[in-house]
Amino acid sequence: MNKNGIFMKIMMPLLDRLSPTCDVITRKISESMDHPISLRDRFRIRSHILFCAFCNRYRRQLLAIRNMLETKRGRLEDADMVDTPVLSPDAKERIKHSLRKPDDN
Amino acid sequence: MSEAEENSRNPELASVQNEEQTRSDPEQWVDNYGNYLYRFALLRIHDSQLAEDMVQETFLAALKSKTGFEGRSSERTWFTGILKNKIIDCYRKNARMAGFSDTFSAEDAGDFFMDGKAKGHWKTGSAPSDWGKNPQRVLENKEFNKVMELCLGYLPRQLASVFSAREIEGWKSDEICKEFSISSSNLWVMLHRARTQLRKCLDVNWFKPSPERG
């Protein structure tokens, strides 16, 4: 094995551990939204997104999606919002019909 | 003496009459609560046919219910509770579906270089684009809401179910693991996949500048 080969075999995994790549960081970012992650992982994410605009966007976008869904859930109460799917007249009629003859269902 | 006054003197009679009132016209339920329940279901299962069926099943279950609505809560809360149980049954069934693999396979790695010098880094075409300072604003746009609905609908059922339990019901990880009998590492992998797919779908179909949209 030449010198380069030894370097690749020993040093590269070590470097990857010290500074994970974007695929690992995105996984950790998602995990951090579900349970408290270790201090070391928090530090890895922080230091990575200082320099990686894409992972920084990824993180902000996941948080934005979470907020959007929360907003949508709140809007169920409000029938005048832009996003108001309703039962079609046909569907309403079908449901009413089934309630008239509940034993057929 | 008016009927109301009479009832106020005899609470037992009033409650019997109330119950009869709520049981009297199930068809009225559809007009009063149908749309709300439909939206409630649609936000959670992203399938209009299934959502419709669930609303229907909810009313039928209410009709057949022996205990009925006993004035313990509002009528809508009663229906919502029945519907919610049906939705959670559906989540549970989907979450336990076979065929889930815990390993990060090519589908996860699709956004990143698999080998070479840039191994593990974003591919140019997959890298997140700029969503602006206030992405929340897009919720005011009807078209965006349609895109979001479609993107949620594209999620495989298994992923969609755990994702909804987490992000729409707001359950904690350990609650989901217990309820659906899955391990926490499985859950986190599924949630990560769901978020990654949803983010990408919104990015590609809405946020990313494209020549057609200008």
Side-chain angles (χ1 to χ4, degrees):
Chain A
M1 199 182 280
N2 62 24
K3 236 178 167 179
N4 199 23
I6 294 168
F7 176 81
M8 292 299 278
K9 198 161 184 185
I10 298 170
M11 288 307 285
M12 284 313 276
L14 194 65
L15 281 177
D16 270 352
R17 290 196 98 153
L18 288 173
S19 161
T21 45
C22 305
D23 53 345
V24 179
I25 291 293
T26 51
R27 235 147 58 200
K28 291 286 174 199
I29 287 171
S30 176
E31 245 187 80
S32 75
M33 295 172 71
D34 297 316
H35 70 117
I37 56 169
S38 69
L39 200 62
R40 195 170 78 148
D41 282 340
R42 285 217 307 270
F43 175 77
R44 282 169 160 175
I45 294 175
R46 288 277 156 202
S47 52
H48 183 99
I49 61 178
L50 273 180
F51 300 102
C52 179
F54 293 145
C55 286
N56 193 20
R57 281 180 188 168
Y58 181 89
R59 180 174 155 275
R60 283 170 43 196
Q61 290 171 9
L62 291 197
L63 292 171
I65 290 170
R66 174 170 278 182
N67 287 334
M68 284 176 196
L69 288 170
E70 199 181 333
T71 305
K72 280 172 84 74
R73 192 179 46 189
R75 283 182 181 180
L76 279 182
E77 302 294 331
D78 201 339
D80 296 326
M81 295 308 300
V82 280
D83 172 32
T84 53
V86 291
L87 282 173
S88 66
D90 280 356
K92 280 192 175 175
E93 201 36 61
R94 200 162 48 242
I95 296 174
K96 284 180 182 178
H97 184 78
S98 77
L99 291 173
R100 270 174 234 141
K101 295 180 178 174
D103 293 330
D104 293 354
N105 285 275
Chain B
M1 192 185 283
S2 75
E3 201 182 280
E5 275 170 325
E6 176 115 45
N7 284 347
S8 71
R9 277 154 194 259
N10 188 345
E12 208 170 310
L13 179 67
S15 83
V16 169
Q17 282 184 345
N18 262 340
E19 190 166 331
E20 272 174 4
Q21 251 169 26
T22 57
R23 303 289 262 160
S24 65
D25 192 5
E27 288 183 38
Q28 201 66 39
W29 295 347
V30 182
D31 292 322
N32 290 347
Y33 309 111
N35 286 338
Y36 173 82
L37 294 172
Y38 177 65
R39 285 204 299 275
F40 186 94
L42 201 57
L43 179 63
R44 286 158 172 83
I45 50 179
H46 323 297
D47 176 333
S48 52
Q49 188 55 53
L50 189 57
E52 248 179 64
D53 291 349
M54 284 194 161
V55 173
Q56 177 171 340
E57 283 171 27
T58 298
F59 288 138
L60 281 168
L63 195 64
K64 290 174 184 167
S65 151
K66 284 204 177 78
T67 51
F69 166 64
E70 286 166 340
R72 279 173 301 209
S73 52
S74 82
E75 212 176 2
R76 197 182 76 177
T77 311
W78 180 48
F79 292 130
T80 310
I82 299 173
L83 175 60
K84 199 164 178 173
N85 281 334
K86 290 190 182 298
I87 291 169
I88 289 167
D89 281 345
C90 176
Y91 286 168
R92 193 180 291 122
K93 206 175 72 199
N94 289 338
R96 287 177 184 162
M97 265 177 1
F100 173 73
S101 95
D102 197 1
T103 53
F104 284 95
S105 53
E107 57 171 304
D108 299 290
D111 289 341
F112 305 100
F113 287 107
M114 293 287 281
D115 42 33
K117 229 176 164 182
K119 182 173 183 289
H121 293 274
W122 290 100
K123 285 182 187 165
T124 324
S126 302
S129 54
D130 188 1
W131 287 16
K133 280 228 180 325
N134 186 10
Q136 284 281 92
R137 244 189 7 230
V138 293
L139 282 180
E140 309 313 319
N141 188 316
K142 207 168 184 164
E143 291 303 311
F144 174 80
N145 282 286
K146 278 188 195 149
V147 169
M148 184 143 191
E149 205 47 57
L150 284 175
C151 286
L152 285 163
Y154 286 149
L155 290 177
R157 283 191 170 187
Q158 194 178 25
L159 297 187
S161 291
V162 291
F163 181 74
S164 295
R166 178 78 187 103
E167 299 290 351
I168 296 171
E169 309 300 344
W171 292 0
K172 294 197 167 65
S173 285
D174 47 353
E175 291 173 319
I176 301 174
C177 292
K178 212 172 130 193
E179 189 71 32
F180 299 162
S181 313
I182 49 178
S183 73
S184 47
S185 61
N186 261 7
L187 173 69
W188 296 332
V189 173
M190 285 197 252
L191 288 172
H192 172 62
R193 282 190 192 168
R195 291 191 183 109
T196 296
Q197 286 186 30
L198 181 58
R199 190 212 66 78
K200 194 174 188 180
C201 183
L202 294 175
D203 201 349
V204 170
N205 293 297
W206 189 264
F207 290 100
K208 196 160 263 183
S210 75
E212 301 97 81
R213 271 207 308 272

